[in-house]
Structures are given as structure tokens and as C-alpha cells.
Amino acid sequence: MKTTRRDFLQTSCSAFTLAGCGLLIEQKSLADHPIPAGGYPLVFPPEFTGGVLEAKVVNQEIWPGFPTTALALNGSLPGPTIRVKKGDHFKARVQNSLGESLVLHWHGILAPSEMDGNPRDAVPSGGFYDVEFPVNQRAGTYWYHAHTDKLTGKQVYQGLAGFFIVEDPAEDSLALPKGEFDVPLLIQDRVSNPGHTLAYSPMMDDMVLGYLGDATTVNGVPNATLSVTRSLYRFRLLNGSNARVFRIALGDNAPFKLIANDAGLLAAPIEVTSIFLAPGNRAEILVDFTSFPHGSTVELKSLAFTGDTTMGSSQGTARTLMRFVGQHIGNGGTAPSTLVPFAPHDLSAVKRTRQFMITMPGGGHGGGHGGGMSADLINGLVYEMNRTDFMVPFGEIEIWEFQNMAEHIHPMHPHGALFQVVSRSTSPTLPPEDTGWKDTILVRPGETVRTLVKFDSHEGAFVLHCHNLEHEDGGMMLNFDVTPSTPPIGGPQLDIRHEAEEIVVIAPHDATAYRLEGAPHVGHEALWTPVTVSPVHSEAGMEFRIPAGGTMRFFRLIKP
Ligand code: C2O
Ligand code: CU
Ligand code: CU
């Protein structure tokens, strides 16, 4: 059965709990603009050919017949696709003609700190800045988007995002589908409203849950349909939603092959029937339509899932993302059996573990909306643009441990490095979407995810944040400096190792003027108490060995 757009809206509206779905008005006005039976054909953004990337307010029709104010780059929404070869210099002038501040971030691209799109580097309306840096990283489907302090959610929602594709010889040598068989799909959920506009108007709840829409656009097209030949395709999926997590599957739950995660190809294809794709994540998949009858339709959909424990959230509801319609026989090639070898970081070379504890504001525990009307916190902190929260020595392998003690799903994303996943507490083996190189990691309520990361591209200031853009704008972001020197004394610079029997905390030798304190949670001054075990001096520094199983998990050095 073909689903009409009206059926689709009715289904999603009935599953949607926010008031103001606007269905009645919509049915009336839609009569003037009937949706074609086959949906709207998918379109592709133009390729960026160099020069200026100008961000500007435009009047455009996302839903045909319904003009809306939107934000475009060089007149295009999504922005033009940037395509570079590994080793190329990427060069662009970012021109801000928005009427508000702007900075663009190259997500997953290892750009120098000054060109990375730190919110500190936003330029006012009318301003511009130049970026130029060599792209020296593996082939992959990266992307770019606005990263302006407290405006990221709005600016991305209204259109400021696009693909940044890197190609390299290792990928070229594989016979992967190319040209028309290599299809980038930027998937975003949209909040439907009577005028079919891209109005961004989060309510208080939306700042806690994220701005969750009931409709979907792909490459900016609602109800999108792509005619495919009966052949193998490579789809580059990018979840550019503000807050919506997708659980990607095909209409008939047919298997498909996962070939790449965030930062490029896996060692070998993995056959799957569904994968999680959080905001910020990319996944590349091979779909084989060869045995697919002429004229038949296959949906790309998102399966229902549980995980966000908040009552009333539409996170995890099932939906159709777009449709593929099979045409004549084509030849996109065959799937290779191996891809690009994966070199894991050396676990035995880990220098320190850094913990990021995600807690509810105000320290509440569970209980529906008890957490208050603001985003959760990372290590008890609310983002402050000009405060540096921790230092990371250049070139050292670290474990970054994300512990989600709050109620919401948080896709965590550091700038400045790619990482590998070591473990996910809820799953004895890593799910396929956690394998290979990543830059954004989904952390569900109650989960602890450990990643291996090495900042060996650039020194300087970077951010770590939640890629739920309402959470980011609400303060779920920290600043860190990748530094060549021995970091100064301070809480996060301690070397902390969780071993079976004890927690080993190593403070620098010259920290004798400081006191070591521990706490079960961070963010509450009253919970910090002095550590009573005495240190032993070793080569590494002053070692405090604290029996495991106690309440202390966080440690800091302070001047008594
Ligand atoms: Cu795509 Cu700082 O983010
Ligand atoms: Cu990023
Ligand atoms: Cu979050």
C-alpha cells in the first residue's frame, strides 16, 4: 500500500504528544497543494566549487506551495556539498549575511583549533573569515554546520548544514558503487506547523528533550522518493536532526551492509537489519535492490525503540524517512568482502582515564520531569565560553569514559580527534555502529561508554559537547585545551585509573600545597571530602590508592 502524505501526518500526529500539531488547518491548506502520489523527488545539493560560502536568510519552499524563511549557504539548503581528496587544502571564505552571529564547524574534520568553528570564533553579521587547512585524514562522510553560541539549534534547524566528503586512494581502489549509485542522504526531523515553515520555537520541554519533529526531510525534501535502478547502492546517511535518534532499517526489515561509521570505512562490511544513528552520526550502507520488482517501493524507516526514559517524549517513535522506487535493471557493482584495515589504538599505552559524568541539573534522581527545565550537565558544569575546563596533553592515548546518570539520551562529541569505542556497559560485544572510527557516541540513560582517544592532530582549544543541539545550546558543552606542556595542577588533570581492587589517583609531585578531595558526584560542592589515605611517592607522582567500592568516584586537587 502506498502511504499518502496525509496518512503519514495523521499517523505521526497521533503518536505525537505535543499540542498544536495543526492537522485540521493542514488538511485544508494541503487541498490547494496536493502531494504527488509518488512523493517529492529527492534532490541533491550542488557541489562547493571554492570561494565564498555565504550564509543568508532566504525565502524558500520546503513543502511545495508553502514559502518559509530559512537559512541557506550560497542559496542552497542543505548547504553545498564540500568534496576534497585527502591531502588537499580546503579553502573557503565564510561570509555571514544572516543578521546574527555565525561560525561554521567542520564536523569530524581535524581542523586546526582556530578554524575548527569554536563558538568563540563567531563573527557578527556582515563579517567574514577565511579558513584554509590541509585535510589529512581518512576518506569518509563528514559534515559541516553552524556552531554559534546558543544559536546552533536554530541555525542548523533552519538549514545551515551540509556534507563534507573526503576521498582517498584506499577507498578508490575498492569497487564500491560510484556516481549515481553513491547517494548522500541528510536526514532531519521537522516539527510540522500549519504554514509548513522552518520556524524554530522550542518550548521549555524541548530544551530538556531536544526539538523533536514529527515529519522528516531528506536533503531538505519532505516525503522524499528516489527512483533506483535494480542494483547495488551506497547510501551515505547523515543524521542532521537537532535531537532525534534514528534506528535505521529498510521497509521489509531486509538485511543491508554497514560499510562505514562516522569517520570512514570499516575493515569489512557487516550485515545488519537495523542500526542506531544519533544526531551527528553518519553511517554508510550498501543496499542491494537487484531482486526488487519493477515499480515496487521500499521504505527507509526508523524503528521504534525505548531508551529515553522521559515520559511524554516522542524519542523512539517509528517513522518513515523516505522511499525508494525500483526501476529498470542497473549495475552499481558488487559489494567488496573487505574494506580498509582498522588499526586499533594500543590499550596498553593508555596514559589516563578521563571521566565525563552526565547528571541532572540540581542533582535530582529519576522521577519524570523532576530534573528541572534545563539540559543535563557534564561533570556538573554549564558551558561558559571563556572558561577552560580541562587540559589534554597532545599525542597521549586516553580513555574517555561517559557515564549517563540522567534520563535522556546524549550523543557526545569531542572536536579535535576521532576515537574508537572500547566498551558499552549494556552490551557485551560492541554493536556494529560502535565499530571503526567514530566522532559522536550515543550514551543512553544508565549507560557507561568508554572510548579510546588520542589528540594528535592539533594543539589548541576545542569543545566537547552533546550533539542534541538544544542540550548543547543549553550548556552541555565543555572547553578543553590540547596542550604540549605538562598541564597545570587542577582536578581534571589528575591521572585516575580504576583498577579491580582500588582506584589509583596520581597527582604531580609538586602538588604538595594542594589537597586531594573525592566525591560520589560532581556539581555539588558539599559532596567533596578530603581523601584520607596517604600518598606514596613513585616515579609517576604522588600515588593515592583508594579501595574500590567506596562512594568516591571523582577527584580533584584544591588549595586548602
Ligand atoms: Cu557537529 Cu560541535 O559539532
Ligand atoms: Cu564536530
Ligand atoms: Cu544531550
Side-chain angles (χ1 to χ4, degrees):
M1 188 200 90
K2 275 227 175 91
T3 312
T4 64
R5 183 173 165 276
R6 183 166 300 175
D7 291 337
F8 173 48
L9 277 175
Q10 278 170 341
T11 326
S12 42
C13 280
S14 60
F16 198 61
T17 51
L18 278 186
C21 197
L23 191 60
L24 287 176
I25 310 163
E26 221 154 73
Q27 282 174 333
K28 234 193 255 166
S29 44
L30 274 175
D32 306 329
H33 304 278
I35 306 300
Y40 299 109
L42 185 72
V43 297
F44 299 99
E47 301 249 326
F48 179 61
T49 52
V52 178
L53 265 176
E54 186 188 22
K56 208 173 167 175
V57 180
V58 294
N59 202 29
Q60 206 163 304
E61 295 179 7
I62 302 299
W63 291 90
F66 298 87
T68 179
T69 298
L71 307 181
L73 285 149
N74 294 357
S76 171
L77 182 168
T81 296
I82 297 167
R83 195 180 288 274
V84 303
K85 297 223 179 298
K86 182 179 177 179
D88 280 359
H89 266 250
F90 168 61
K91 220 180 139 175
R93 167 163 295 186
V94 177
Q95 172 72 49
N96 176 7
S97 308
L98 287 180
E100 62 191 20
S101 297
L102 174 72
V103 66
L104 291 181
H105 165 60
W106 325 101
H107 180 130
I109 297 289
L110 302 171
S113 165
E114 329 73 81
M115 294 173 209
D116 179 58
N118 192 300
R120 291 171 186 168
D121 297 325
V123 291
S125 180
F128 69 85
Y129 63 95
D130 292 323
V131 292
E132 184 182 356
F133 56 88
V135 177
N136 274 321
Q137 64 190 88
R138 62 205 316 265
T141 304
Y142 305 95
W143 66 303
Y144 67 97
H145 58 82
H147 216 291
T148 320
D149 188 36
K150 298 190 177 70
L151 288 174
T152 298
K154 171 193 179 258
Q155 293 180 343
V156 172
Y157 186 82
Q158 297 190 324
L160 298 183
F163 283 98
F164 194 131
I165 292 172
V166 179
E167 300 171 334
D168 73 5
E171 180 190 71
D172 288 346
S173 69
L174 299 165
L176 288 167
K178 288 188 169 59
E180 64 170 297
F181 302 102
D182 177 356
V183 182
L185 301 172
L186 165 53
I187 311 169
Q188 294 172 296
D189 68 336
R190 300 300 191 203
V191 179
S192 65
N193 56 47
H196 293 296
T197 66
L198 283 186
Y200 180 74
S201 48
M203 318 277 270
M204 268 216 282
D205 258 12
D206 298 322
M207 294 312 290
V208 179
L209 303 173
Y211 201 48
L212 293 163
D214 52 320
T216 307
T217 60
V218 179
N219 295 349
V221 176
N223 206 32
T225 300
L226 178 68
S227 288
V228 292
T229 62
R230 287 145 66 199
S231 125
L232 187 71
Y233 275 79
R234 173 187 192 174
F235 293 110
R236 299 172 185 258
L237 311 177
L238 157 58
N239 184 350
S241 303
N242 281 33
R244 171 78 55 194
V245 176
F246 296 119
R247 189 180 168 203
I248 300 287
L250 294 171
D252 48 1
N253 295 320
F256 55 93
K257 288 192 163 108
L258 179 69
I259 57 165
N261 282 325
D262 295 339
L265 294 168
L266 305 177
I270 306 174
E271 188 162 290
V272 293
T273 51
S274 71
I275 48 163
F276 279 93
L277 196 70
N281 277 148
R282 287 85 64 213
E284 296 184 36
I285 61 174
L286 296 180
V287 178
D288 192 354
F289 296 114
T290 312
S291 53
F292 180 54
H294 189 280
S296 61
T297 299
V298 171
E299 286 181 355
L300 183 70
K301 64 183 184 181
S302 182
L303 301 174
F305 62 89
T306 53
D308 197 305
T309 56
T310 315
M311 281 181 14
S313 168
S314 75
Q315 187 70 276
T317 50
R319 60 196 50 224
T320 298
L321 304 175
M322 66 171 292
R323 293 173 183 80
F324 304 110
V325 180
Q327 304 293 341
H328 53 84
I329 296 284
N331 188 4
T334 51
S337 56
T338 60
L339 299 164
V340 176
F342 174 70
H345 280 322
D346 183 2
L347 246 179
S348 67
V350 168
K351 279 278 168 64
R352 66 190 61 76
T353 294
R354 225 174 264 279
Q355 297 175 298
F356 300 98
M357 179 77 91
I358 299 162
T359 55
M360 293 166 65
H365 291 279
H369 284 137
M373 287 300 157
S374 60
D376 292 333
L377 306 171
I378 309 171
N379 287 355
L381 298 166
V382 174
Y383 178 65
E384 263 177 45
M385 191 154 64
N386 295 312
R387 181 193 65 212
T388 298
D389 298 302
F390 58 99
M391 311 278 192
V392 179
F394 183 90
E396 296 187 354
I397 300 179
E398 303 196 340
I399 285 180
W400 283 26
E401 180 183 289
F402 299 97
Q403 241 191 87
N404 187 347
M405 299 182 67
E407 295 181 339
H408 309 299
I409 286 178
H410 298 292
M412 302 302 293
H413 169 57
H415 291 201
L418 305 169
F419 59 79
Q420 303 168 353
V421 183
V422 189
S423 64
R424 179 179 289 282
S425 61
T426 54
S427 152
T429 55
L430 288 183
E433 54 271 55
D434 282 352
T435 61
W437 287 95
K438 300 282 293 177
D439 59 42
T440 305
I441 188 72
L442 183 63
V443 190
R444 299 178 184 83
E447 277 185 335
T448 297
V449 179
R450 307 185 102 208
T451 63
L452 265 182
V453 65
K454 179 163 75 162
F455 288 82
D456 58 357
S457 296
H458 302 284
E459 292 165 8
F462 292 97
V463 291
L464 161 72
H465 64 90
C466 178
H467 221 289
N468 175 315
L469 301 182
E470 284 65 45
H471 292 176
E472 176 185 335
D473 284 342
M476 249 190 117
M477 177 150 66
L478 301 183
N479 284 304
F480 62 93
D481 284 350
V482 175
T483 155
S485 51
T486 312
I489 292 161
Q493 286 77 251
L494 285 167
D495 191 351
I496 301 166
R497 290 176 200 151
H498 288 260
E499 297 180 358
E501 308 275 86
E502 51 194 12
I503 305 169
V504 185
V505 181
I506 304 171
H509 282 294
D510 54 3
T512 44
Y514 290 75
R515 182 168 76 199
L516 182 70
E517 293 187 339
H521 304 285
V522 283
H524 304 284
E525 212 37 49
L527 293 177
W528 289 99
T529 46
V531 169
T532 50
V533 296
S534 355
V536 286
H537 288 264
S538 75
E539 213 166 282
M542 290 190 284
E543 280 187 35
F544 296 82
R545 297 188 163 263
I546 299 139
T551 54
M552 285 184 182
R553 283 199 56 86
F554 289 92
F555 300 92
R556 70 176 184 189
L557 288 171
I558 65 152
K559 277 247 165 77

